[in-house]
Amino acid sequence: MTGRSFVSSAVNRRGFIRLATASVAGWIALGATDNRMRIVASLTALPLDDELTRRGMIDSASSRLGNLVAGLRQRGWVEGVNFRLELRSTFGAPDRLKMAVQELLDLKPDVILTGSTIETAAVLAATKTIPVVFATANDPVGNGFVESLAHPRGNATGFTNSSAEMGGKWLQLIREAVPDVARVGILFNPATTPRGGRFFLESIEQEAAASGVSVIPAPVNAPAEIDDAVKRFSELPKAAMVALVDSFLVVNRKAVVAAAAKYRVPTIYPFHYFMDAGGLMSYGPTLEVRSADYVDLILRGTKPGDLPVQSPRKYELLINRTVARSFGLTIPFTLLARADEIRE
C-alpha cells in the first residue's frame, strides 16, 4: 500500500529514548515553573479566517491551530488562563514576511510555531535564542535549521513533511493516472517553495528523463498568474501538472484547483487540503498535528535542541474518481488499489 505506516528514521531507538528523557525532564520542570502568562506565537501564510487556521475548530483534523489549542489544553495549558496565543499571518505575501516576524519577536514569546520552510527560515534568521518549533519543514538540515535530525542543537526543532524524492514520486503517480501524458507542468511560486523549486525539481527531472516525459516549470508570483499558468497545459500534446509543496499554493488552493478543472488539466497535489477543494489526486504526509507535544515540553523548560526532529509516520494517496471522469480519465485499477481513500 502507498500509505503504509513507517517509523521515522529521525526517531530511531536512540532518538526515542532521548525524546522520552526530554519528556520526563519537561514534566519534572512543571513543578518549578512560575505562574506568569506564557506567550505562544504562531506564524502562518494562511489568512486568519482560513479553515486551516481557525482556532475554534478543535474537532477538525484539518485545523492546525484548533488542534494546537486542544492539544495544549489536554496538557494543562488553557488559553487565556496560563498562556496567550498570538497569531500573525503573511497572507501568502513574501513582502510581508519580515514585518510579521518582527511583530512576533517584539512580543518576546516563549516559543514560536512556524507553518512552513520559508517562515522558519525567516524566523531563525531573526533570532537564535527564542525557541522555534516548525510544524512542517523540508530539509531542515540542508536549510541550516538544525545540525542533525536526531540532535538539532540550536533553538529549533519540529517536524518534516516531504523529502526531495517526493518530486519523482508525484511524477510517477500522475503518469500512472494519465498514461498518454507527454509533458508535465510544475506549478510553484519561487518565493515560497523550498529552494525556489529546485528542492523537488531535481528528482522530478531525473524521473522525467527516465520516462521520456518533458518537464516544464510553471512559476507563478501572484494569484492573478495562476489561471494563465495552468491554461498553458490545456492544449496538445497531452499535459498534466504537479503542484509543489508551497505555502502560496496552499493559500490559493481553491484558485489552483478551479483553474485545473476549468482547463481540464490533471494535477497531483502534495496535501489533502487540495482534495477538499475538489482536486483530482494528492499524495503526501498525513500531517498529524503533533506540535502541541513539543510546545508543551518547551514551555515546561525543555530545550528545543534536545528534541529530535520527527518525520511523517504515514503517507496517503487520495483519488477523486468523479473529478477524474470530468477530465475524461479512467484511473487504472492498479492505481486505485493502492489508494488510501477514493472519493466519488
Side-chain angles (χ1 to χ4, degrees):
M1 287 289 289
T2 303
R4 180 167 54 89
S5 298
F6 65 96
V7 178
S8 163
S9 60
V11 187
N12 52 21
R13 185 171 182 271
R14 183 178 300 174
F16 177 79
I17 293 173
R18 292 182 65 250
L19 177 58
T21 302
S23 300
V24 172
W27 280 102
I28 291 175
L30 175 61
T33 56
D34 54 49
N35 294 322
R36 68 181 178 83
M37 180 77 73
R38 302 299 197 277
I39 299 177
V40 177
S42 181
L43 180 64
T44 179
L46 295 164
L48 302 186
D49 61 350
D50 191 289
E51 64 179 13
L52 303 183
T53 55
R54 290 182 210 158
R55 71 181 69 196
M57 295 177 63
I58 60 175
D59 296 323
S60 171
S62 65
S63 174
R64 294 180 186 176
L65 194 60
N67 276 273
L68 173 67
V69 172
L72 289 176
R73 183 180 301 155
Q74 292 171 357
R75 293 159 179 79
W77 300 101
V78 180
E79 186 178 8
V81 176
N82 53 6
F83 90 95
R84 187 172 90 242
L85 182 62
E86 293 284 350
L87 180 64
R88 296 294 184 275
S89 173
T90 66
F91 298 94
D95 57 352
R96 180 174 157 70
L97 184 56
K98 186 175 181 179
M99 180 171 62
V101 169
Q102 190 57 54
E103 288 178 6
L104 289 182
L105 296 184
D106 290 343
L107 296 171
K108 295 180 172 53
D110 294 275
V111 59
I112 298 176
L113 180 68
T114 58
S116 75
T117 304
I118 300 299
E119 294 153 16
T120 303
V123 171
L124 290 177
T127 179
K128 301 299 181 185
T129 56
I130 298 175
V132 176
V133 175
F134 42 87
T136 57
N138 294 290
D139 193 19
V141 176
N143 281 302
F145 301 162
V146 297
E147 287 189 13
S148 71
L149 299 181
H151 304 278
R153 315 295 183 195
N155 64 316
T157 188
F159 307 86
T160 63
N161 55 10
S162 298
S163 64
E165 292 73 23
M166 286 290 288
K169 185 65 176 179
W170 291 321
L171 184 59
Q172 290 176 10
L173 290 169
I174 196 64
R175 286 187 61 245
E176 285 190 64
V178 191
D180 59 341
V181 67
R183 57 198 180 110
V184 176
I186 312 300
L187 189 66
F188 64 97
N189 184 329
T192 53
T193 197
R195 297 187 193 173
R198 293 307 308 171
F199 183 70
F200 297 109
L201 275 170
E202 291 178 6
S203 66
I204 291 175
E205 290 167 349
Q206 290 173 4
E207 177 64 26
S211 60
V213 174
S214 297
V215 170
I216 305 172
V220 290
N221 299 290
E225 299 177 11
I226 293 173
D227 191 271
D228 284 343
V230 176
K231 184 179 180 180
R232 292 173 53 194
F233 301 96
S234 62
E235 301 173 354
L236 294 176
K238 183 70 174 181
M241 293 193 71
V242 172
L244 297 186
V245 172
D246 184 337
S247 57
F248 170 84
L249 296 185
V250 173
V251 171
N252 295 284
R253 60 193 181 279
K254 292 181 180 179
V256 172
V257 171
K262 176 181 178 181
Y263 297 111
R264 300 183 71 190
V265 180
T267 304
I268 186 168
Y269 303 98
F271 303 123
H272 69 82
Y273 311 140
F274 293 87
M275 299 296 290
D276 298 337
L280 169 65
M281 59 191 298
S282 68
Y283 180 68
T286 55
L287 292 183
E288 305 160 273
V289 182
R290 295 180 283 164
S291 52
D293 293 330
Y294 276 9
V295 170
D296 169 55
L297 289 170
I298 290 170
L299 290 178
R300 298 180 190 279
T302 302
K303 295 180 180 179
D306 293 334
L307 298 170
V309 175
Q310 297 189 48
S311 298
R313 292 183 286 199
K314 184 179 180 182
Y315 289 84
E316 291 184 330
L317 173 63
L318 281 64
I319 298 173
N320 190 315
R321 289 209 296 185
T322 299
V323 174
R325 285 191 288 269
S326 72
F327 287 168
L329 295 175
T330 299
I331 303 296
F333 174 77
T334 53
L335 186 56
L336 291 174
R338 304 203 309 275
D340 296 275
E341 181 181 335
I342 299 173
R343 300 186 180 184
E344 298 288 353

